[in-house]
Amino acid sequence: MTRTRTVLALLVLGALTFGVGSPTWVTTTVATALEPEVAVAAAGTSAAPGVGAGALVLLAAGIACALTGRVARYVALLVAAAAGVLVVVSTLVVVGDPTPAATAAASATSGVTELTSPVTLTAWPWAAVASGVLAVVVAVWGAVAARGWAATSGRHERADAAAPGATAGAPGRRATRTSAADDGTAAGPDDEIDPHDAWDALSRGDDPTGR
């Protein structure tokens, strides 16, 4: 798996996790003093806060993989795998016992905590489990393939390393031409006369061309 595919997969899975956590996961009813039956619904991010947190971490890990170097890249992938595990575990807790999430939603909606009907789960929690598992798979697969990814800034580092050597010879050539002018050696027809050398020669009253 290439770096680009890994980054895109993590970003898509982060957005997908948000998507499956937004709809209703848990439904039930309660009775109040004004109404005998009040519908109660809890969204996935409310029933399982770890789902929303895991989605944010997946998005951040995808961006980090695109911008960081080798060591930070592995850290980001490890964090992405942990986020996938968090999504799966948080969801399975709700699937195993949805009553606490329904009771919290009922209290927030109507101020009543006594449920009057069985708690029902929708299909969205299972989609969240699939999203978390895929996140773990992508993170592990990316970590295995990451050793073959090219360095982010290697080309710029090579160019910067070559720059000092490319300019180091210029002072030496200028010094050679200056020494020739100081010794009164005439410049040959093919020799380039440096403007600074010519000015120094004129200051001494010499002809910079040697004529």
Side-chain angles (χ1 to χ4, degrees):
M1 178 178 285
T2 64
R3 179 202 293 263
T4 301
R5 290 181 179 178
T6 302
V7 170
L8 289 177
L10 291 176
L11 294 177
V12 169
L13 286 171
L16 179 63
T17 303
F18 265 125
V20 299
S22 299
T24 299
W25 281 20
V26 177
T27 59
T28 187
T29 59
V30 295
T32 66
L34 300 178
E35 296 184 41
E37 185 174 277
V38 177
V40 174
T45 51
S46 298
V51 172
L56 283 175
V57 172
L58 287 174
L59 293 174
I63 296 173
C65 282
L67 301 178
T68 58
R70 184 179 299 273
V71 176
R73 176 191 311 159
Y74 284 107
V75 174
L77 291 170
L78 177 61
V79 171
V85 173
L86 175 62
V87 171
V88 172
V89 172
S90 299
T91 303
L92 291 180
V93 168
V94 176
V95 171
D97 185 10
T99 301
T103 302
S107 177
T109 302
S110 61
V112 178
T113 58
E114 184 175 352
L115 309 180
T116 58
S117 65
V119 179
T120 304
L121 281 174
T122 64
W124 291 111
W126 301 110
V129 171
S131 177
V133 171
L134 284 176
V136 174
V137 172
V138 169
V140 173
W141 194 359
V144 173
R147 68 186 65 182
W149 294 351
T152 304
S153 59
R155 180 176 60 186
H156 302 289
E157 292 173 356
R158 289 194 296 271
D160 293 340
T167 59
R173 291 194 297 272
R174 179 177 298 175
T176 302
R177 291 194 296 269
T178 303
S179 299
D182 291 342
D183 295 339
T185 304
D190 296 332
D191 292 338
E192 179 184 357
I193 299 176
D194 187 271
H196 295 283
D197 297 341
W199 179 258
D200 292 339
L202 289 173
S203 299
R204 294 192 302 271
D206 296 334
D207 184 356
T209 63
R211 294 193 296 268

